[in-house]
């Protein structure tokens, strides 16, 4: 079975219906999205991950009532975590899909959404009554109940003002309109900016499959920075002012210099090809804490699969992998696009020598595994 043909996680709703009626629009509760759901990671293994400095983790405690909200950043030695019998605490571990293959496979079941939108899979463990308070997220999220029960309260409220007296994002006012108790295998989809609060009923574990959406200002900053680093996006032209008259008001910025500044940005914007290359590179750039271990490449490389940490996308002329771009066409482009879509590729002995050498480089860099 091809990876994008794995059993649906949307119950009786087809991916087409989901994208048309719910995605970015309204919440959806899917009972038994994964029937017979078993946790993919034990509590002990999750705690061990939270002690790894390469893994982003947070500990939230409190209930906003008898206990004030508190937040600490990891890594946490397991014995530094509160006792399991203490209520109202939550451990949140980001990017679990980058480290545990079973979570990469879970993530692959959501590939009816473009890879370019994927952020990561976060796992939370909560003691009884634990939660992160009423809040909203900027991302689309699927909240999959993996173990135990969690009570979710959600609200379509427009008032998203946050409290400024607590160390985490908590809504000043939360007026829930719907309450639902999720059991293992149940899943709740929430679009961005939808107010919600999940509270553990007994100890529980929840998996958040999160989808990022670029913010225009941040994206512009990243694209322009990348484009100015490209040799072919802009010729080095220095401002000249041979016609400058004697300065009468020396502190005033000359109008010709203002026009030069405008021209410098405008000239970048005419480079639409380079802008698309920069976009592919930005979208596949691994997060700061991600690193790849170099490895030996077998002499006789038959097939490869992407490392779970590898981000690979393409457009009509370029293939992007982990923040780098390759222009390619013809049979090589078709093979690389297949690798990106399937996250694996076999029959490598029929590839061009150039593509074979490139794939060997990527294996050595740890971006691909030989399989
Ligand atoms: C959690 O898993 O505790 C928090 C998830 C969320 O509310 O986004
Ligand atoms: Co949330």
């Amino acid at each position: 079975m091809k990876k994008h043909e794995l059993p649906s996680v949307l119950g009786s709703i087809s991916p087409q219906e989901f994208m048309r009626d719910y995605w970015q629009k309204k919440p959806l509760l899917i009972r038994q999205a994964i029937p017979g759901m078993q946790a993919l990671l034990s509590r002990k293994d999750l705690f061990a991950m939270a002690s790894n400095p390469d893994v982003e983790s947070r500990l939230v405690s409190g209930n906003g009532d008898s206990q004030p909200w508190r937040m600490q950043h990891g890594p946490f030695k397991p014995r530094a975590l509160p006792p399991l019998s203490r209520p109202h605490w939550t451990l949140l571990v980001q990017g679990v899909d980058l480290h545990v293959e079973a979570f990469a496979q879970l993530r692959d079941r959501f590939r009816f959404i473009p890879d370019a939108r994927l952020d990561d899979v976060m796992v939370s463990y909560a003691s009884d009554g634990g939660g992160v308070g009423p809040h909203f997220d900027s991302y689309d999220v699927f909240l999959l109940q993996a173990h135990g029960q969690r009570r979710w309260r959600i609200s379509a409220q427009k008032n998203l003002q946050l409290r400024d007296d607590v160390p985490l994002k908590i809504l000043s006012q939360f007026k829930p309109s719907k309450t639902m108790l999720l059991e293992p295998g149940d899943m709740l989809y929430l679009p961005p900016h939808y107010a919600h609060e999940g509270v553990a009923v007994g100890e529980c574990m929840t998996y958040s499959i999160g989808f990022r959406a670029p913010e225009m200002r941040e994206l512009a900053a990243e694209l322009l920075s990348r484009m100015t680093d490209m040799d072919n996006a802009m010729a080095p032209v220095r401002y000249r002012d041979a016609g400058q008259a004697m300065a009468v008001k020396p502190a005033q910025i000359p109008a010709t210099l203002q026009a030069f500044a405008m021209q410098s940005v405008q000239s970048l914007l005419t480079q639409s090809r380079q802008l698309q290359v920069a976009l592919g590179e930005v979208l596949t750039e691994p997060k700061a804490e991600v690193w790849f271990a170099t490895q030996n490449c077998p002499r006789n490389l038959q097939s490869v699969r992407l490392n779970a940490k590898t981000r690979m996308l393409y457009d009509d002329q370029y293939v992007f992998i982990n923040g780098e771009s390759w222009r390619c066409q013809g049979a090589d482009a078709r093979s690389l696009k297949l690798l990106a879509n399937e996250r694996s590729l076999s029959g490598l002995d029929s590839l061009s020598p150039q593509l074979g050498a490139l794939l060997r480089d990527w294996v050595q860099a740890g971006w691909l595994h030989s399989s």
Side-chain angles (χ1 to χ4, degrees):
M1 191 186 319
K2 288 186 175 172
K3 289 202 178 117
H4 52 261
E5 288 166 7
L6 283 166
S8 165
V9 282
L10 298 172
S12 59
I13 293 187
S14 71
Q16 289 84 348
E17 277 175 282
F18 174 79
M19 296 309 281
R20 187 190 63 212
D21 299 339
Y22 297 94
W23 178 247
Q24 296 254 303
K25 296 188 183 89
K26 56 185 181 189
L28 175 66
L29 171 63
I30 303 152
R31 292 283 178 201
Q32 291 307 287
I34 301 193
M37 173 89 199
Q38 300 276 330
L40 302 176
L41 194 65
S42 68
R43 181 178 67 201
K44 187 162 164 267
D45 288 343
L46 180 69
F47 290 2
M49 272 189 89
S51 68
N52 179 346
D54 294 327
V55 175
E56 192 190 327
S57 58
R58 284 166 295 153
L59 177 66
V60 173
S61 55
N63 58 4
D65 185 14
S66 54
Q67 265 181 270
W69 292 112
R70 254 189 98 204
M71 208 250 297
Q72 290 163 267
H73 286 280
F76 303 100
K77 292 257 176 330
R79 62 175 181 281
L81 294 171
L84 300 178
S85 56
R86 184 184 298 168
H88 308 308
W89 66 272
T90 296
L91 175 72
L92 305 137
V93 181
Q94 295 288 153
V96 179
D97 52 316
L98 306 180
H99 301 277
V100 185
E101 186 55 36
F103 284 88
Q105 285 173 16
L106 173 68
R107 178 189 77 183
D108 284 349
R109 295 177 70 172
F110 292 81
R111 291 187 82 203
F112 52 88
I113 299 157
D115 290 347
R117 291 283 267 106
L118 178 73
D119 187 42
D120 72 350
V121 182
M122 178 185 85
V123 174
S124 71
Y125 166 84
S127 70
D128 184 32
V132 298
H135 67 283
F136 66 90
D137 298 301
S138 314
Y139 292 4
D140 300 82
V141 67
F142 295 87
L143 299 153
L144 173 63
Q145 194 56 24
H147 168 78
Q149 297 176 317
R150 187 184 280 276
R151 179 166 290 111
W152 287 99
R153 296 190 301 157
I154 63 173
S155 167
Q157 67 190 59
K158 291 283 168 275
N159 177 2
L160 295 178
Q161 205 187 333
L162 296 174
R163 281 174 59 175
D164 55 12
D165 58 340
V166 283
L168 60 161
K169 272 178 27 178
I170 302 279
L171 288 164
S172 299
Q173 282 182 27
F174 181 50
K175 298 209 166 83
S177 50
K178 220 172 183 174
T179 300
M180 49 210 116
L181 184 68
L182 267 69
E183 307 272 353
D186 293 346
M187 186 169 76
L188 174 63
Y189 163 73
L190 292 177
H193 297 114
Y194 209 95
H196 59 282
E197 178 181 35
V199 176
V201 180
E203 80 161 12
C204 84
M205 284 200 261
T206 305
Y207 301 164
S208 298
I209 301 99
F211 290 84
R212 61 185 180 176
E215 195 277 321
M216 215 177 201
R217 197 163 44 163
E218 285 168 14
L219 185 63
E222 286 186 89
L223 292 174
L224 291 184
S225 148
R226 252 184 211 262
M227 285 180 79
T228 47
D229 282 345
M230 287 178 186
D231 295 337
N232 58 353
M234 216 177 183
V237 178
R238 195 168 293 279
Y239 174 63
R240 289 171 60 95
D241 55 358
Q244 174 70 50
M246 186 198 84
V248 178
K249 296 176 182 159
Q252 189 174 23
I253 298 173
T256 47
L257 184 49
Q258 288 175 322
F260 181 78
M262 182 71 88
Q263 206 192 339
S264 68
V265 177
Q266 275 169 347
S267 71
L268 273 180
L269 300 182
T270 58
Q271 312 289 317
S272 60
R273 191 60 255 176
Q274 278 85 351
L275 186 84
Q276 285 160 8
V277 171
L279 176 64
E281 292 182 359
V282 166
L283 291 173
T284 56
E285 184 67 45
K287 289 189 188 179
E289 62 277 6
V290 172
W291 59 275
F292 293 87
T294 55
Q295 58 191 2
N296 288 329
C297 183
R299 197 185 298 256
N300 183 15
L301 188 62
Q302 288 297 315
S303 55
V304 286
R305 64 190 160 83
L306 300 191
N307 183 328
K309 297 175 183 173
T310 287
R311 287 186 158 271
M312 189 173 186
L313 301 170
Y314 62 84
D315 65 19
D316 56 347
Q317 288 181 38
Y318 281 81
V319 168
F320 308 100
I321 179 165
N322 296 333
E324 296 190 15
S325 48
W326 271 267
R327 192 184 154 92
C328 54
Q329 46 202 343
D332 284 0
R334 280 194 294 280
S335 300
L336 285 175
K337 288 175 184 180
L338 192 64
L339 172 61
N341 281 324
E342 298 299 324
R343 295 188 66 83
S344 62
L345 187 67
S346 52
L348 301 194
D349 34 13
S350 61
L351 299 182
S352 73
Q354 294 84 343
L355 185 55
L358 186 61
L359 294 183
R360 298 183 73 83
D361 286 349
W362 291 354
V363 170
Q364 279 163 354
W367 294 357
L368 310 183
H369 296 305
S370 118
S371 56

